[in-house]
Every structure is written in C-alpha cells, then in structure tokens.
Amino acid sequence: MKKIPATCPSCDAKLKVSKLVCDVCETEVVGKFSLPILMQLTVEEQEFVLGFLYNSGSLKDMARDLGKSYPTVRNMLDDLIQKIKNLGYEQ
C-alpha cells in the first residue's frame, strides 16, 4: 500500500485530505481535513513510534533492537517529541 504524502511534491507545503471514500458502499465525504500528527512523521519516525509501543516504552529494549546506545535512542525520542510539539500537538 502506498503511503499518503504529507507535503506537496511541488512546493513542499503541508497537504490536506479533501475526500474520503468507503470501499463498501461508496459513500464519499468531501471537505478539507488535516492529516493526523502521526501521518505527518517520516516513515522512519513512524517506525520508531511503533517500536516504542512494541517495546512497552523501554528505551533499553529499543536500543538493543536498533543496535544503538541508550543515549542515542533517548536523543531520538527527544527529537521526535520536539517535532510532534512543533506540529501542533498539545495534551
């Protein structure tokens, strides 16, 4: 399955979803919808999030799986947290 692009290939601006379609009944919903925060991450960043969940939040286990040091993985997480904040996520 193809990944939905998050930025315009021409000007690099953020893209919005404008149409959703049901494969079963063919209902269409049209409008302007923002992409969810997680879809705005790169494939590598999304894989990091999934790895974090898979390892129950254990950075030690993630470091082992990624073959990286704990401080490196901690920095990767900190960078990802900052990016998510910059994308507008607030608790």
Side-chain angles (χ1 to χ4, degrees):
M1 180 179 269
K2 294 180 181 179
K3 182 181 179 294
I4 296 173
T7 58
C8 175
S10 179
C11 71
D12 219 26
K14 284 187 182 182
L15 292 175
K16 294 197 181 276
V17 176
S18 63
K19 183 177 179 180
L20 301 168
V21 180
C22 175
D23 285 337
V24 176
C25 69
E26 298 184 15
T27 295
E28 295 183 5
V29 179
V30 179
K32 284 189 179 179
F33 308 97
S34 297
L35 291 173
I37 295 283
L38 294 177
M39 288 184 68
Q40 296 178 48
L41 302 178
T42 67
V43 171
E44 293 79 16
E45 291 165 338
Q46 290 176 24
E47 289 172 356
F48 184 91
V49 170
L50 291 174
F52 185 76
L53 295 173
Y54 180 80
N55 285 292
S56 300
S58 170
L59 295 181
K60 179 182 172 185
D61 292 345
M62 284 193 66
R64 182 198 64 231
D65 290 350
L66 295 172
K68 298 184 183 296
S69 70
Y70 178 92
T72 298
V73 174
R74 179 70 233 190
N75 287 335
M76 292 168 70
L77 178 60
D78 290 341
D79 291 345
L80 188 53
I81 290 168
Q82 187 57 53
K83 181 172 183 177
I84 290 170
K85 286 179 180 178
N86 291 343
L87 288 171
Y89 179 77
E90 295 180 24
Q91 290 186 347

